């Protein structure tokens, strides 16, 4: 299977603080890859490096065989121009903890915006596609609603539809349910389950261990900027090998 994401010895510093300490991992095409670990372990930072929202300080990150954010020449890396980075990001959808919807636009307009502005899709085509996607996430009846009129779970589902509108080959989810009231978590996870069944490649930073066990194909446990343990979700969650993993899971399971 092709690696959709490949990280080789990825390091990241914020000033003098080293947040990622040599991350090596591979996400296969069509896989749901879950990343778990305590707050401050580097999970979200790593996710943001995949689409170059954060620059790495050493190592290499590839998406679908293409180096992210840099061009390599004679063994040296040269940062890509903003326009080139933006072109790479078109293929990578990202869903954040906070929904980041445009408050002055309806659900439909939020979903239409990127295809029209970035891809030059016609408004009619973008509207039809937005309606399809809102139906898909169970919000066909809310297409004319503004974010302030929607629950957190509904806003997050609009955010997923918006990411899908660009037809990404990879979806990144940064704790997509952590800002939601408990009773709204399920509706977002259901949409993610559907995406997984359709074969979407997904990298999911999550605290939802049940989702990771049921839907995930691979799981890594990160702590203090390193991958401590990796394997199938069921194996890591039910039979962790490392003391640090055992200690973390004893608190969250």
């Amino acid at each position: 299977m092709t690696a959709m994401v490949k990280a080789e010895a990825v390091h990241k510093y914020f000033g003098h603080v080293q947040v990622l300490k040599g991350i090596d991992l591979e996400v296969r095409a069509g896989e749901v890859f879950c990343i778990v670990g305590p707050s401050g372990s580097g999970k979200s930072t790593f996710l943001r490096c995949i689409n170059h929202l954060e620059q790495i300080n050493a190592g290499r990150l590839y998406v679908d065989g293409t180096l992210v954010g840099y061009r390599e020449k004679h063994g040296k890396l040269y940062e890509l121009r903003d326009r080139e980075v933006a072109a790479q990001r078109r293929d990578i959808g990202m869903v954040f903890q906070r929904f980041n919807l445009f408050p002055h636009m309806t659900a439909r307009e939020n979903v239409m915006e990127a295809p029209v502005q970035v891809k030059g899709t016609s408004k009619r085509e973008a509207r039809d596609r937005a309606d399809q996607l809102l139906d898909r996430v169970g919000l066909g009846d809310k297409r004319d609603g503004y974010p302030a009129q929607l629950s957190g779970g509904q806003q997050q589902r609009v955010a997923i539809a918006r990411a899908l509108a660009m037809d990404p080959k990879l979806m990144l989810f940064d704790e997509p349910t952590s800002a939601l009231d408990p009773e709204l978590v399920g509706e977002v996870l259901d949409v993610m389950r559907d995406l997984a069944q359709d074969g979407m490649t997904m990298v999911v930073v999550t605290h939802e261990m049940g989702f990771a066990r049921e839907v995930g194909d691979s799981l890594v446990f990160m702590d203090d900027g390193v991958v401590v343990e990796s394997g199938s979700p069921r194996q890591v969650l039910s039979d962790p090998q490392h003391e640090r993993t055992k200690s973390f899971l004893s608190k969250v399971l």
Side-chain angles (χ1 to χ4, degrees):
M1 292 281 279
T2 339
M4 181 59 78
V5 178
K6 186 169 189 185
E8 297 177 347
V10 169
H11 290 73
K12 171 69 186 170
Y13 290 84
F14 288 116
H16 295 300
V17 179
Q18 188 171 9
V19 185
L20 299 177
K21 303 173 180 175
I23 301 291
D24 290 292
L25 57 80
E26 269 192 29
V27 180
R28 297 189 309 277
E31 179 172 47
V32 178
F33 191 97
C34 297
I35 304 176
V36 303
S39 294
S41 58
K43 309 181 302 290
S44 293
T45 298
F46 176 69
L47 201 69
R48 291 169 67 85
C49 289
I50 294 175
N51 65 357
H52 207 60
L53 286 173
E54 297 289 355
Q55 300 171 345
I56 63 176
N57 298 107
R60 305 276 189 280
L61 252 174
Y62 300 89
V63 170
D64 203 14
T66 301
L67 192 60
V68 172
Y70 297 92
R71 184 172 44 249
E72 188 163 0
K73 199 173 173 187
H74 306 309
K76 285 190 73 174
L77 293 185
Y78 298 89
E79 185 147 16
L80 296 178
R81 295 187 185 91
D82 289 348
R83 194 177 70 243
E84 296 168 304
V85 172
Q88 288 187 335
R89 283 202 195 114
R90 283 184 195 182
D91 292 330
I92 305 172
M94 184 150 187
V95 178
F96 300 88
Q97 288 181 31
R98 301 281 165 193
F99 324 118
N100 294 356
L101 297 175
F102 295 116
H104 62 291
M105 292 183 180
T106 63
R108 176 196 271 148
E109 289 165 345
N110 264 285
V111 178
M112 286 172 62
E113 181 72 1
V116 171
Q117 299 297 340
V118 179
K119 282 189 164 176
T121 306
S122 75
K123 287 211 166 158
R124 171 177 286 180
E125 196 182 327
R127 185 184 292 113
D128 290 347
R129 177 84 173 120
D131 288 351
Q132 267 176 2
L133 288 167
L134 289 168
D135 283 342
R136 181 175 181 183
V137 299
L139 292 173
D141 58 334
K142 302 288 186 188
R143 59 185 61 134
D144 296 319
Y146 289 90
Q149 299 167 316
L150 304 176
S151 72
Q154 290 169 337
Q155 289 184 62
Q156 192 61 296
R157 285 187 280 156
V158 173
I160 293 173
R162 181 180 59 179
L164 291 173
M166 291 293 284
D167 294 315
K169 54 188 168 189
L170 169 66
M171 285 281 282
L172 308 176
F173 291 88
D174 188 6
E175 300 193 13
T177 57
S178 66
L180 300 179
D181 293 332
E183 68 270 21
L184 302 178
V185 167
E187 63 192 49
V188 173
L189 294 181
D190 285 345
V191 171
M192 293 170 67
R193 275 190 197 93
D194 286 347
L195 281 181
Q197 282 170 351
D198 286 351
M200 173 64 76
T201 311
M202 297 157 62
V203 182
V204 185
V205 170
T206 186
H207 292 301
E208 302 292 338
M209 300 300 162
F211 173 84
R213 178 187 280 118
E214 178 196 338
V215 183
D217 298 300
S218 299
L219 180 139
V220 299
F221 169 68
M222 277 180 69
D223 188 32
D224 197 25
V226 298
V227 171
V228 176
E229 189 159 348
S230 61
S232 81
R234 286 174 186 219
Q235 173 225 315
V236 174
L237 294 175
S238 56
D239 186 23
Q241 301 302 300
H242 292 259
E243 286 307 318
R244 186 68 196 89
T245 320
K246 289 176 186 170
S247 155
F248 171 74
L249 291 175
S250 71
K251 296 182 179 73
V252 298
L253 286 178

